Amino acid sequence: MLFPTVEYALFFFVVLAVSWALAPRLNLHKLFLLAASYIFYGFWSWEFVPLLIAVSLFAFLIAKGIQRTQDESKRRWLLGCGIAVCLVVLAYYKYISFLMLSVLDLWGIVGHVPQWNIPAPLLPLGISFFMFHAISLMFDIYRRKLQQPLTALDALLYIAFFPQLIAGPILRASRFIPQLAHRLSPERIRVNRAFLLILAGLFKKVILSNTLSERLVEPIFAAPANYHAGDVLLAIYGYAAQIYCDFSGYTDIAIGCALLLGYHFPRNFNAPYTATNPQDFWQRWHISLSSWLRDYLYIPLGGSRGGAARTYMNLMITMLLGGLWHGASWTFVIWGGLQGLYLVVHRLWARIPSAAVQELRSGTTWRWVSRVLMFHAVCAGWVFFRAPTFSLAISVFRQLGSIGVVTLATVPVLIALFLGILGQYAPLVWRRGLESTMSRLPMALNGAALAMGVVAIELLGPRGVAPFIYFRF
C-alpha cells in the first residue's frame, strides 16, 4: 500500500474519519489507530505482523521493568538485555546471510571453500525502523526522559504507528508518547501545512524521483559501460536528486498524514545539498537517523570526550554501523566509511590554527566553494550506496574518463534535476507565504486545490509508482 496510490488514499480517508470520530474516547481512538497500523503493515505481508507485535510487547515489558525499578544495576542489565535481543533479531533477518557469505569469502583466501547454499531469511518490511523505535523506547525510559507511566497500548502504537512504520522518520519515544496522553483538538491542526506537505511529497516522488529513475539513473546503473562521461556524470547527479526527492517526499507525506491525525513528527530534511561541510550535511539529511546515531551510539561510545583520536574512532564506528544499518552489503559499509572519513577530515581541517586558513573559511567565496565540494563528495558516496556491487560502482567511476555524446539529457530530465537539487535553495518564506495565503481561503477551496494538484501529479507522472527507496532498509 504505497502512499501515492488510490488504495492508500481510501485507507487514509477512512482512518482519518473514524479516528476523529473516536477522538473524545481516547483509548478507543488509540486502539483503532493501532488496529489500522497493523492492517497497513499486513497489507504488505501478514506473516510478519506477529513479529512486529512481539518486538513491541518485548520492548514494552523491558521498558516497564526499567521504569518500575530504582536499582541502577538492574536497570542497566534490563536495558542491555533488551537492546541485545533487538539487535540479535535484526541481525538474523538482515545480516546472517551476509555474515556467512563474508566468512566463506575469507575462507576462500586461505583454502578450498565448500559449496554451501545459505538462503537469506525474507526481510520484514521496515524492520530497521521499528527496531530503532523499540530501542528508543527502552533507552528513553532508562534515561528517565519519559516520566509518565508507560502503558502497553501507548508502547505498541508508538512502534507501529503507520505513517512512520515503513521508512520513518524515526520518532523518539520521549517526544511521541506524551502526545498520546492528550485528546485531539481540531484547533491545533495546521490543515493547510498538512495539505502542502502531502502535495509536495507526491510531486517529489511521483514526478521528480520517478522521472529521474526511469529516464536517467536506471539505464546508467544497469549498464554503465554503454554510456560516456556526460551521461554517467548526469546520472550520478540524478541519483543524488532522486534519493532526496524519493525519501524527503515520503517523509513529507508521512508528516502531513500524521498532522491530519493530530500528531507531530520531527522535520527530517532541511535542504541537505546546501550544506557546506559533512557535519552540516548530517544536520540536514535524514535528521531523525543522524540524531539517533548521535544520541544512542556516538555519545554512549564516548563522543568527543576522550581526545581527538578517540573522537575520530567514535565517528568512524558510528558511520560504519550507520552504513551497515542501511543494508547487508560491503557497498553500504564503504558508503558509511566515506561519511566517517568526511567527518574526520572536516574536524582536522577545522582544527588548523593558521590565520590565513581561518580567514579563508570565513569568506563568502569559500562558503560556495565548500558547498560545491561537499555536494560532489556526497555524490561520490551515493555511487556506492546505489550500486549493488563494488565492481559496478568502480565501473561507474571508470566511465567518467570516457568521451562520447550525451544522450540522456532530455528536457524532462534536466527540469527534474534542476528542481531536485537547486530547488533546495528556494527561500523558506515562499512556503510560509503560500501557507498563509491558503489560511485565508475557505477550507472547501483548499480541499479542491489539493484534489486538483493530486490529479495533475497523477497525469504528469510516469505510469506506475515504484516503491520508495528506503522501504528496503
Side-chain angles (χ1 to χ4, degrees):
M1 194 187 299
L2 295 171
F3 280 173
T5 60
V6 174
E7 291 88 351
Y8 178 77
L10 294 174
F11 166 82
F12 181 73
F13 284 131
V14 171
V15 171
L16 182 65
V18 176
S19 66
W20 275 102
L22 296 175
R25 305 177 66 179
L26 190 56
N27 284 336
L28 197 57
H29 164 81
K30 291 189 286 188
L31 274 171
F32 171 75
L33 285 181
L34 181 61
S37 297
Y38 289 144
I39 291 171
F40 174 81
Y41 192 74
F43 189 88
W44 300 93
S45 179
W46 278 104
E47 64 182 293
F48 291 119
V49 173
L51 174 66
L52 173 60
I53 295 173
V55 168
S56 302
L57 286 173
F58 173 78
F60 162 71
L61 292 173
I62 293 292
K64 196 65 176 177
I66 294 172
Q67 195 172 52
R68 283 176 173 172
T69 181
Q70 298 300 316
D71 186 327
E72 287 302 319
S73 61
K74 186 176 181 180
R75 285 166 57 85
R76 285 194 299 270
W77 182 85
L78 285 169
L79 177 66
C81 288
I83 292 175
V85 169
C86 287
L87 293 180
V88 166
V89 173
L90 180 62
Y92 168 74
Y93 281 104
K94 197 167 183 177
Y95 302 111
I96 188 66
S97 179
F98 168 70
L99 292 173
M100 294 299 294
L101 290 173
S102 297
V103 169
L104 290 179
D105 288 341
L106 291 174
W107 192 346
I109 296 175
V110 298
H112 176 70
V113 181
Q115 297 300 311
W116 289 342
N117 181 27
I118 306 175
L122 186 62
L123 186 66
L125 194 69
I127 187 172
S128 297
F129 287 93
F130 67 72
M131 284 298 184
F132 269 26
H133 281 90
I135 292 172
S136 174
L137 177 66
M138 295 181 289
F139 234 122
D140 282 3
I141 291 289
Y142 174 77
R143 290 176 169 175
R144 295 184 171 88
K145 290 186 175 181
L146 193 61
Q147 298 295 333
Q148 68 191 76
L150 185 64
T151 67
L153 180 56
D154 285 356
L156 267 63
L157 181 55
Y158 157 66
I159 294 174
F161 191 39
F162 72 88
Q164 55 76 34
L165 177 58
I166 306 301
I170 300 171
L171 308 178
R172 302 294 181 90
S174 55
R175 296 180 183 175
F176 182 75
I177 289 181
Q179 296 184 51
L180 299 176
H182 304 289
R183 286 184 171 83
L184 302 184
S185 171
E187 293 77 18
R188 298 174 56 193
I189 306 301
R190 295 174 63 182
V191 176
N192 294 327
R193 174 166 171 73
F195 282 176
L196 288 175
L197 283 168
I198 292 171
L199 202 59
L202 290 172
F203 177 76
K204 286 191 282 188
K205 168 58 182 174
V206 176
I207 294 183
L208 300 186
S209 176
N210 286 2
T211 297
L212 291 168
S213 174
E214 292 184 8
R215 302 190 182 192
L216 179 61
V217 177
E218 290 295 336
I220 295 293
F221 278 87
N226 295 341
Y227 298 89
H228 299 291
D231 281 330
V232 173
L233 183 61
L234 204 63
I236 293 173
Y237 293 157
Y239 186 68
Q242 180 199 349
I243 192 171
Y244 166 75
C245 292
D246 191 280
F247 194 22
S248 69
Y250 173 93
T251 300
D252 286 347
I253 298 170
I255 294 174
C257 290
L259 191 57
L260 289 176
L261 290 168
Y263 300 99
H264 295 267
F265 284 2
R267 188 177 189 179
N268 210 24
F269 290 89
N270 182 20
Y273 294 147
T274 66
T276 57
N277 60 65
Q279 184 177 0
D280 187 23
F281 175 78
W282 282 105
Q283 290 173 345
R284 295 170 177 272
W285 176 273
H286 202 350
I287 301 168
S288 63
L289 173 64
S290 57
S291 61
W292 196 100
L293 292 172
R294 179 197 64 207
D295 294 344
Y296 297 101
L297 183 56
Y298 175 69
I299 291 176
L301 284 172
S304 57
R305 299 189 299 272
R310 180 63 182 273
T311 298
Y312 302 151
M313 183 178 70
N314 292 339
L315 285 170
M316 289 300 301
I317 291 172
T318 299
M319 298 314 295
L320 283 168
L321 291 176
L324 192 60
W325 173 84
H326 283 83
S329 168
W330 287 110
T331 54
F332 288 116
V333 175
I334 293 170
W335 174 78
L338 280 175
Q339 305 310 310
L341 182 62
Y342 294 162
L343 289 166
V344 170
V345 170
H346 168 64
R347 286 189 174 242
L348 290 171
W349 165 252
R351 287 168 62 93
I352 296 176
S354 166
V357 171
Q358 291 179 7
E359 183 179 357
L360 172 67
R361 287 198 301 255
S362 64
T364 302
T365 301
W366 174 251
R367 186 178 304 114
W368 283 100
V369 169
S370 63
R371 281 195 176 110
V372 173
L373 292 174
M374 188 64 228
F375 174 70
H376 283 84
V378 169
C379 286
W382 286 141
V383 173
F384 291 101
F385 193 95
R386 172 60 180 79
T389 64
F390 179 78
S391 60
L392 182 60
I394 296 302
S395 297
V396 171
F397 286 121
R398 187 182 295 119
Q399 289 304 109
L400 290 175
S402 63
I403 299 175
V405 178
V406 176
T407 61
L408 299 180
T410 61
V411 172
V413 164
L414 294 177
I415 291 175
L417 196 57
F418 176 84
L419 293 175
I421 295 176
L422 297 182
Q424 296 177 45
Y425 286 88
L428 185 60
V429 69
W430 290 2
R431 191 209 73 201
R432 291 174 177 169
L434 181 57
E435 185 179 343
S436 176
T437 300
M438 291 177 65
S439 66
R440 294 192 292 270
L441 300 176
M443 185 57 64
L445 186 59
N446 286 333
L450 174 66
M452 291 174 61
V454 171
V455 171
I457 290 170
E458 178 66 23
L459 293 174
L460 293 173
R463 181 172 298 178
V465 180
F468 289 92
I469 292 172
Y470 263 68
F471 275 20
R472 60 193 175 102
F473 303 141

